[in-house]
Every structure is written in C-alpha cells, then in structure tokens.
Amino acid sequence: MNWRMWIGIIIAAMVGIGAYLATASPPGLLSKLDAAMGGGTGVQHVGKNVGFGDHGQKLDIWRGDEASQSSRLPVVIFWHGGGWVKGSRQDYAFAAKAFAREGFLVVIPDYRKVPDVHFPDYIIDGAQAVRWVQDNIAQYGGDPENIALSGHSAGAHTAVLIALDPSWIENANGNIESIKAVVGMSGPYDFYPFDKKRSIDAMAQYEEPERTQPVNFARADAPAMLLLTSTKDTIVRPRNAIRLTEKLEAVGANVAMINYEGLTHEEVMMAISIPFRRTATVLKDSAKFLNENMRVVEP
C-alpha cells in the first residue's frame, strides 16, 4: 500500500475529525494518529521553530522525558522526504518522537524546496543545520561531537551526501568528524542520468551532475552507514541502496543494508510510527545500528 491507501484506512477509522483530516498531508495525518495512540508520551518538545542558517529556515528539537538540559545525548538530525518539493518538519513529529524515546536527542530541520531553489541549495541548508547543531545543541542536552544524520527519500539523499562529501560541511564551517553514523531510508543515491521529473526539476540545472550523486563519494573513512530499502519500492528503487552499499564495501567502509520484504517506499517510513510499527523492524534496526556506532549516554 502507498501513503494514500493507508491514509484512506486511517480516515475511515477516525470518523468525526473532519476538516483537518481532509486537508492535512499524509505524514501530518500519521503524526496526528501516532500522537492519539500514545506517541506523545515519554518525550519533550524542547525546541520549537528555532531559526538557523542564512535563509530563515527553522528546526524542531525533541528529547526523552528522563533527559535534561545538562544531558549529553547522542544527536540524530533527521530530514523529511517529499521529492525536494514538499513536506515539513512538523509532519514528521512521529519520527522525532520515536527516536527520542530510544534515547536520542532529535533535530528535524526544514529546507528550501523546488521550484524556489535547486541543487545545491537544499544541501547547503542541510549543512547549515549540521553546523547549527554543532554550535548550539549542548544547551538542549545533546552532544555536539556525537551526531548521526538520517532521513527518508529526498531527506536520505541530503543526509548521505552531506556525510560522504565533506565539502558541504566544510563550506558551512562545520566539523565532519562529529558525524559518527548515518541511517538512510529509501534514499536515491545513484540516479544519474536524470529521467524523472522530480530529479530533473531539482538537479538538472546544476553544471556538475556527478556532485549530486552520493555514490560518487564512497570513501573508506565515511561515517558508519545503514542503508534501508524495500522490495516493493517503485519510487526509489532498491538498486540505489544496493549500488552504494557495493561501492562502500569495495573501499572498506563500515556499511550495512537491509532490504525489507514486501514494503513500499512510504511504508518504510510509516513503520517507525506507533500505528504501523508491527509492519517492520525499521525503528529497532535503526536504533540498534546507532547504538553500536555512537557514544550512547544513558539519560
């Protein structure tokens, strides 16, 4: 099933919520349902609409109830998907809360989108979010030297490209050494030449197309990387994760891949939420990998 089919089920089951459900995005609906099923318990929304970067972007910050401002929690920066044209940090609160309950301090940044901008502007926004975290996250209870990058779909492209090509962090005057791990969910990493409208609109204007492709930056000293994909993903096909995994393995990098049987592109992300967590072990697998590759501090 895709987002639309799942949300149809949700809407049918939630008679009476009306106008909001009719206009909200599918991930936004999922966040509401997640909250209604207990997703808001055990976490604190400690940073709301926090500004960063050069273009008026905002981010949100979440941590577990048992953590405090004086904690030194490992940090997960998570970028939402949406094909570089849509999506918002608020819609993905379910993901932030899920990782916060696993013991991480979670940052979800916004970024500029097509058609207002094109590559590399949203990557620059991503790098500036990392720099902001390095400079400021300690005051929220996070460890600025212990950061993981993650994201779904277009957000996974941002996370993985920033981690593999150090020039983006360097141009933001940040420190690539603080990035300890990456979890890419259903991301496009090897898709040139551009043959889909989304990628053409987002990247075809850039004069160095090879720089848009994470697969071209595989390096032995890359942060530990977990690439998640699924057999029924027809939007970002599994070959993207398979090809990048092969490239990273060839140079001796620390990489793992999981190909979830029977899941679609959207269902990998949905499995993080409480309503659909039984469909796959995405959250468990991601948290385990992060715990193994970051300095995890008990709250």
Side-chain angles (χ1 to χ4, degrees):
M1 292 187 183
N2 60 26
W3 280 112
R4 191 173 301 279
M5 295 172 70
W6 275 118
I7 297 307
I9 296 171
I10 293 170
I11 291 173
M14 298 180 69
V15 176
I17 325 184
Y20 178 83
L21 292 179
T23 59
S25 70
L29 286 170
L30 185 54
S31 275
K32 288 292 183 181
L33 182 60
D34 182 87
M37 296 179 65
T41 61
V43 296
Q44 309 170 60
H45 196 179
V46 296
K48 300 179 182 180
N49 302 317
V50 180
F52 75 93
D54 299 331
H55 302 282
Q57 298 304 300
K58 305 288 184 181
L59 56 81
D60 284 351
I61 306 168
W62 299 80
R63 72 179 181 226
D65 276 347
E66 296 182 1
S68 70
Q69 191 170 336
S70 61
S71 300
R72 298 281 287 182
L73 299 178
V75 180
V76 174
I77 307 175
F78 185 93
W79 286 275
H80 65 78
W84 302 286
V85 301
K86 61 183 179 180
S88 74
R89 68 186 187 281
Q90 297 95 332
D91 287 350
Y92 287 77
F94 70 90
K97 290 184 284 188
F99 279 104
R101 283 192 295 272
E102 293 291 330
F104 303 96
L105 188 145
V106 186
V107 178
I108 301 195
D110 273 336
Y111 51 92
R112 293 171 291 165
K113 299 176 179 69
V114 176
D116 295 330
V117 302
H118 306 282
F119 186 93
D121 290 349
Y122 40 83
I123 304 298
I124 292 171
D125 291 348
Q128 290 184 344
V130 175
R131 170 64 190 276
W132 185 94
V133 167
Q134 292 172 343
D135 289 347
N136 298 281
I137 206 62
Q139 65 185 287
Y140 295 91
D143 184 351
E145 299 299 324
N146 194 23
I147 297 171
L149 308 184
S150 186
H152 177 253
S153 196
H157 174 268
T158 292
V160 171
L161 185 60
I162 288 174
L164 290 180
D165 181 358
S167 68
W168 300 112
I169 297 295
E170 292 167 358
N171 290 340
N173 297 313
N175 174 22
I176 192 70
E177 298 301 322
S178 71
I179 300 174
K180 307 302 182 184
V182 181
V183 177
M185 303 178 183
S186 308
Y189 315 120
D190 182 17
F191 56 100
Y192 184 79
F194 308 125
D195 59 359
K196 293 184 178 179
K197 177 174 172 53
R198 288 281 176 87
S199 58
I200 292 170
D201 290 347
M203 302 183 185
Q205 301 85 354
Y206 194 59
E207 63 275 12
E208 300 177 79
E210 67 279 1
R211 288 200 70 198
T212 70
Q213 302 297 292
V215 73
N216 292 330
F217 295 94
R219 54 189 177 92
D221 59 345
M225 193 163 295
L226 173 63
L227 301 176
L228 307 180
T229 186
S230 53
T231 60
K232 290 189 176 181
D233 189 342
T234 59
I235 296 174
V236 179
R237 295 184 184 277
R239 67 170 300 277
N240 284 269
I242 293 168
R243 181 63 172 155
L244 180 55
T245 299
E246 292 172 346
K247 283 276 193 172
L248 288 166
E249 287 178 339
V251 297
N254 180 359
V255 61
M257 188 191 80
I258 301 175
N259 191 359
Y260 294 101
E261 183 67 35
L263 294 192
T264 66
H265 182 75
E266 297 89 351
E267 287 169 340
V268 170
M269 187 74 245
M270 294 168 68
I272 293 176
S273 71
I274 289 176
F276 300 106
R277 195 162 295 166
R278 292 184 178 182
T279 62
T281 56
V282 175
L283 179 62
K284 179 182 177 181
D285 296 335
S286 299
K288 180 176 183 291
F289 184 84
L290 295 175
N291 288 337
E292 291 172 348
N293 290 282
M294 302 177 74
R295 299 191 306 271
V296 177
V297 179
E298 292 296 330

